[in-house]
């Protein structure tokens, strides 16, 4: 980006995000007008809107990759990609589950009407639709927008730490309730770090998909329900998972630094 004027910088950051929001909202509105605004249709409409919006956002991502000198990666499975994906999934599940548990055991869940309303929409369909929507299309789209585009652009004009925090803050704000804000802020920081470590979007997307899939399964099946009871066992399990996740993240970063795969 050659123009250094502040308004130009701000617009460079904001317009892909505003475009994403406008496209997603427009498609959701049209789909809900056609299918109905009932809660039973919300997940299907969100799934379809997320899928279509991915294709609107891909040109931004590809343009930024080209400007940064990255060549277009072939869609293939390699040992290195598998290593990053598996590391991201393990780390994100441990830390994400711990954060989910800890937040669920606070009064925030009960006092946040926005969170309760969001849950009614997200979990108002069948398990299959919820998994495809929340654990496939939504995380792919959000990683494309918030890590692939927003974080990458912020990183080009400020220190990486600031870019991680600011992109994660914006990611958290769009969830519009305090419970998801706190969770999304923490997970957003983790996903940006994982993207930096892996050098591509695959790891962050895989981690996001894994933690969302687990959240859907927990809500619909009662899986791990005993870990949010608010007793000593629940807090112990949650804190242990958090520590394990942080240790795995440290080992992952330490390994990559020592093999000179990140700086």
């Amino acid at each position: 980006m050659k123009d250094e004027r502040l308004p130009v910088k701000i617009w460079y950051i904001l317009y892909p995000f505003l475009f994403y929001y406008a496209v997603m909202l427009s498609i959701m509105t049209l789909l809900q007008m056609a299918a109905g605004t009932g809660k039973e249709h919300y997940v299907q409409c969100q799934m379809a809107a997320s899928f279509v919006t991915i294709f609107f956002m891909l040109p931004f991502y590809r343009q930024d990759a080209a400007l940064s000198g990255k060549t277009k990666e072939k869609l293939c499975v390699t040992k290195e990609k598998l290593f990053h994906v598996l590391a991201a999934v393990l780390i994100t599940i441990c830390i994400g589950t711990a954060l989910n548990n800890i937040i669920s055991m606070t009064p925030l869940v009960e006092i946040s009407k926005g969170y309760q309303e969001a849950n009614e929409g997200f979990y108002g369909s069948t398990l299959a639709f919820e998994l495809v929507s929340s654990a496939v299309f939504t995380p792919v789209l959000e990683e494309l927008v918030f890590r692939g585009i927003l974080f990458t652009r912020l990183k080009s004009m400020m220190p990486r730490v600031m870019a991680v925090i600011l992109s994660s803050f914006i990611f958290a704000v769009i969830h519009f309730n305090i419970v998801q804000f706190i969770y999304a802020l923490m997970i957003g920081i983790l996903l940006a770090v994982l993207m930096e470590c892996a050098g591509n979007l695959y790891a962050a997307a895989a981690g996001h998909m894994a933690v969302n899939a687990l959240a859907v399964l927990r809500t619909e099946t009662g899986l791990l329900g005993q870990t949010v009871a608010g007793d000593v066992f629940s807090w112990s399990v949650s804190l242990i998972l958090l520590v394990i996740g942080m240790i795995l993240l440290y080992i992952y970063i330490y390994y990559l630094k020592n093999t000179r795969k990140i700086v």
Side-chain angles (χ1 to χ4, degrees):
M1 184 182 175
K2 296 181 179 180
D3 199 322
E4 296 297 325
R5 291 174 296 174
L6 183 60
V8 175
K9 285 184 176 183
I10 293 173
W11 180 244
Y12 177 70
I13 295 299
L14 284 181
Y15 88 85
F17 171 72
L18 295 174
F19 180 75
Y20 148 75
Y21 196 75
V23 170
M24 186 72 180
L25 185 61
S26 298
I27 296 172
M28 275 291 290
T29 301
L30 290 173
L31 289 172
Q32 287 183 310
M33 287 173 61
T37 56
K39 293 174 183 177
E40 68 274 13
H41 300 298
Y42 180 84
V43 171
Q44 290 92 324
C45 291
Q46 185 190 48
M47 179 180 68
S50 297
F51 176 74
V52 174
T53 307
I54 287 171
F55 294 96
F56 280 91
M57 301 311 299
L58 273 173
F60 290 99
Y61 176 70
R62 288 171 178 163
Q63 179 188 46
D64 289 352
L67 289 173
S68 64
K70 289 184 179 180
T71 55
K72 187 177 179 180
E73 290 190 67
K74 294 181 179 179
L75 292 174
C76 61
V77 177
T78 65
K79 289 183 179 179
E80 184 177 359
K81 286 179 182 177
L82 278 176
F83 167 72
H84 289 300
V85 165
L86 289 174
V89 168
L90 285 173
I91 293 166
T92 310
I93 283 179
C94 287
I95 295 177
T97 301
L99 291 173
N100 197 323
N101 286 359
I102 291 168
I103 294 170
S104 295
M105 291 187 289
T106 69
L108 289 175
V109 172
E110 297 299 325
I111 64 176
S112 176
K113 292 183 179 179
Y115 173 72
Q116 295 168 18
E117 290 173 359
N119 266 9
E120 288 178 6
F122 292 145
Y123 303 112
S125 185
T126 64
L127 178 60
F129 276 122
E130 289 169 12
L131 282 172
V132 174
S133 178
S134 296
V136 181
F137 295 145
T138 296
V140 168
L141 175 60
E142 289 182 345
E143 289 313 301
L144 184 64
V145 173
F146 292 99
R147 255 62 66 181
I149 300 170
L150 185 62
F151 171 55
T152 299
R153 292 191 173 202
L154 286 169
K155 192 172 58 171
S156 71
M157 59 182 66
M158 63 179 63
R160 278 187 291 185
V161 173
M162 289 181 61
V164 167
I165 294 171
L166 184 54
S167 62
S168 302
F169 178 80
I170 295 171
F171 176 59
V173 166
I174 65 145
H175 288 80
F176 300 115
N177 66 76
I178 186 62
V179 174
Q180 288 180 303
F181 173 87
I182 295 170
Y183 180 79
L185 179 62
M186 298 296 101
I187 289 295
I189 290 172
L190 174 61
L191 293 172
V193 170
L194 291 172
M195 177 181 166
E196 277 293 278
C197 290
N200 58 57
L201 206 56
Y202 298 122
H208 197 159
M209 292 168 75
V211 79
N212 277 21
L214 184 57
V216 172
L217 291 173
R218 292 184 68 167
T219 300
E220 294 293 13
T221 67
L223 181 69
L224 301 178
Q226 68 273 21
T227 64
V228 291
D231 54 15
V232 174
F233 173 77
S234 303
W235 281 99
S236 299
V237 169
S238 302
L239 292 174
I240 289 169
L241 278 174
L242 184 60
V243 170
I244 290 173
M246 296 302 293
I247 291 172
L248 289 174
L249 179 61
Y250 174 80
I251 293 171
Y252 176 58
I253 294 172
Y254 182 82
Y255 168 77
L256 293 176
K257 282 187 174 180
N258 279 273
T259 54
R260 298 183 179 180
K261 294 184 178 180
I262 60 171
V263 294

